[in-house]
Amino acid sequence: MIAIGRRRSQLDRAAALGVDELIMVEGESNPVGTIRGLTHGRGVDIAIEAVGKPQTWQWAVDMVRRGGTVNFFGGCPNDSKVSLDTALLHYSEITCKASFHHTPAYIRRRSTWFAPGTSRPPSSSIAKNR
């Protein structure tokens, strides 16, 4: 797992959850190149955007691999717009999902699905556990 944050406290929490790589970003610096470098150009399997800014939504799409999934967890302000590369989404078969109203406890439980050596439960299990 890779975590991106602007504050050391965010990254310390991620490390406590077992995150392998921690990336500190400054201001509006784009972390996509760093992520691509860490994954040898491939991109991440799953990108979970938890900031809620149109720019970070864009970065999440840009850092995911072909066939990967983006979860837009962070809700952007009302009237926000995001422009996505439709060819990238279509031909790279990227899945985009949005989630809403989950508690921190829910996220802690579900973060174990993305830990190294674990597999995600089937979609039916995800729906049952809401």
Side-chain angles (χ1 to χ4, degrees):
M1 273 195 284
I2 303 168
I4 303 167
R6 290 178 40 196
R7 293 186 302 276
R8 174 57 48 199
S9 60
Q10 293 171 319
L11 296 176
D12 289 344
R13 284 193 304 268
L17 290 170
V19 172
D20 303 303
E21 298 284 345
L22 305 170
I23 300 169
M24 176 82 78
V25 295
E26 299 292 328
E28 299 296 317
S29 62
N30 184 339
V32 174
T34 303
I35 296 296
R36 290 282 175 181
L38 287 170
T39 60
H40 308 288
R42 180 174 179 262
V44 296
D45 295 333
I46 301 167
I48 302 172
E49 191 288 334
V51 176
K53 289 183 171 182
Q55 182 63 64
T56 56
W57 278 39
Q58 180 67 55
W59 291 342
V61 171
D62 291 344
M63 68 179 62
V64 76
R65 68 167 173 80
R66 294 176 65 86
T69 300
V70 176
N71 177 257
F72 300 117
F73 181 77
C76 294
N78 289 342
D79 298 323
S80 295
K81 305 284 186 233
V82 176
S83 179
L84 299 173
D85 180 342
T86 57
L88 175 69
L89 293 175
H90 180 78
Y91 293 109
S92 294
E93 300 182 49
I94 294 172
T95 300
C96 295
K97 299 180 177 202
S99 53
F100 181 65
H101 282 293
H102 296 292
T103 65
Y106 179 88
I107 297 305
R108 279 192 296 278
R109 283 195 314 271
R110 297 310 180 246
S111 69
T112 61
W113 294 348
F114 307 110
T118 62
S119 60
R120 267 178 58 188
S123 297
S124 59
S125 296
I126 295 170
K128 289 178 193 171
N129 288 314
R130 287 189 177 179

